[in-house]
Amino acid sequence: MLSRTADHLFWMSRYIERAENLARLLDVTWQMSLVPQSEGATNQSWAAIIALNSLEEAYAAKYDTVTGENVLRFMVSDPDNFSSIHSCLRMARENAHAVRGTLTTEMWETMNATWLEAREKSFEQIANAGIGEFFEWVKMRSSLSRGTTLGTLLQDEAFHFIRLGTLLERADNTARILDVKYHVLRPHGEEEEATDFYQWGALLRSVSGFEVYRKVYRDVITPERVAELLILNSDMPRSLRFCLNGVVKNLELVANSHSGETLRQAGQLYSQLRYGRIDDLLEAGLHEWLTDFMDRIYLIGNGISKDFLVPMAEAA
C-alpha cells in the first residue's frame, strides 16, 4: 500500500474517533455541571478540558474567562480550533475524500453525509436543540462510520491502518477522560455519596461503560473499580488494555522491516496492562501513570508515522 494512502486512512479514523471521544468528554463534563456544586469547581472541570488538549493559548486568544458556554462553543463548533468537533469531522471527511477509491461506497457516503450535516449546525442551533442531543448525534455518526467499515471493507492493509488509528485515538482519549475526572470525583464525605454516585455513573456512561460495570462488579460504583474497568479489563471495548491489544495485533499484520521498534514499544506497554494490578497503579499515582501512558501512546503514533506513513508526517 502507498504510504500516502495509509496516512489518509490512519488519520481519517483518528479524526472520527477523536470527534466521538471529545463529544463523550464534553458530555460528561456538561452532565456533571448540572449537579449542585460551587461555580469554581464547575469552571475547574471546564478548564481541565482546555488544558488536556493543550489549547490554553488558543482559548485565551478568544475568551477572557473559562465558562461552560465558552468552552462548549470553542470545542464544539469553532472552525479555527483544529481540535473542535467541527474541525475533526471536516478533517475526517477530507482524508476520506483523498482515498475515496479505497473506501466502500457505504463508508464514503456515511463520512460525507456526516460532514454535510455537521457544517450546517451553528452553535446556537446546537444549544437550542439541546447540547446533549448533539453529543448523541456525534456518537451515533461515529458508530455508523465504524459499522460500515467493519461490515463492508475488505480486511486487508487498509482495514488494519484504519483500526490502528481508531484504537490509538481511543486509548489516548479514554486515558484523558479518566485522568481529568478521577481525582475531581474522589469522595469527600458521606454527605456527598449520592452526588458521587451520579457523577461516577455519568463518567461510566460517557464511555458506554455503565451497564458493563454492573455486569462485571454487580456492586456499588467505586473509583478504584472504575479505574480498573477502564484500564485493565480485557473485554471492555474502550479500556486501555483492549485498545493496546488491538494495536499490537494490527501492527503485527502490517509489519515491515522498519517497524520492529514501534511494535516492541506497543508490546511492552500492552504487557504492563495485561499483567498489571490496579492496586499497584493507584499506589504509584494514577495521574502520573496515565500521563506516562499518554506520552507512550504519542510515541507509538509517531513511530507508526515514521515506519509506514508519509515521511515527516506529524501527529495532529
Side-chain angles (χ1 to χ4, degrees), residues 20 64 75 120 130 146 153 175 206 229 246 254 275 285:
E20 177 184 354
D64 296 328
M75 298 302 296
E120 299 301 321
R146 188 162 50 249
L153 187 65
S206 77
L229 180 71
V254 298
Y275 298 108

Side-chain angles (χ1 to χ4, degrees), residues 11-25 53 82-85 88-89 138 142 165-166 169-170 172-173 176 315-316:
W11 283 106
M12 176 195 75
S13 60
R14 288 202 72 159
Y15 279 121
I16 193 68
E17 183 72 22
R18 187 174 297 179
E20 177 184 354
N21 283 282
L22 181 55
R24 290 176 179 275
L25 177 59
N53 289 278
F82 291 112
S83 294
S84 69
I85 292 175
C88 287
L89 295 179
V138 174
S142 176
T166 296
E169 190 67 32
R170 184 181 298 173
D172 179 73
N173 282 276
R176 289 176 186 271

Side-chain angles (χ1 to χ4, degrees), residues 9 17 45 48 60 87 149 162 197 212 227-228 239 248 253:
L9 292 170
E17 183 72 22
S45 295
S87 296
T149 300
I162 289 173
F197 177 84
V212 175
E228 183 178 53
S239 77
V248 170
L253 291 169

Side-chain angles (χ1 to χ4, degrees), residues 182 186-187 197 200 204 213 217 219-228:
Y182 182 84
R186 292 289 298 177
F197 177 84
W200 282 112
L204 286 168
Y213 184 97
Y217 296 106
D219 204 347
V220 297
I221 299 174
T222 67
E224 294 76 15
R225 287 176 175 173
V226 171
E228 183 178 53

Side-chain angles (χ1 to χ4, degrees), residues 287-298:
H287 171 70
E288 291 75 14
W289 189 89
L290 288 170
T291 300
D292 179 68
F293 176 87
M294 287 184 279
D295 289 341
R296 293 170 73 177
I297 283 290
Y298 178 80

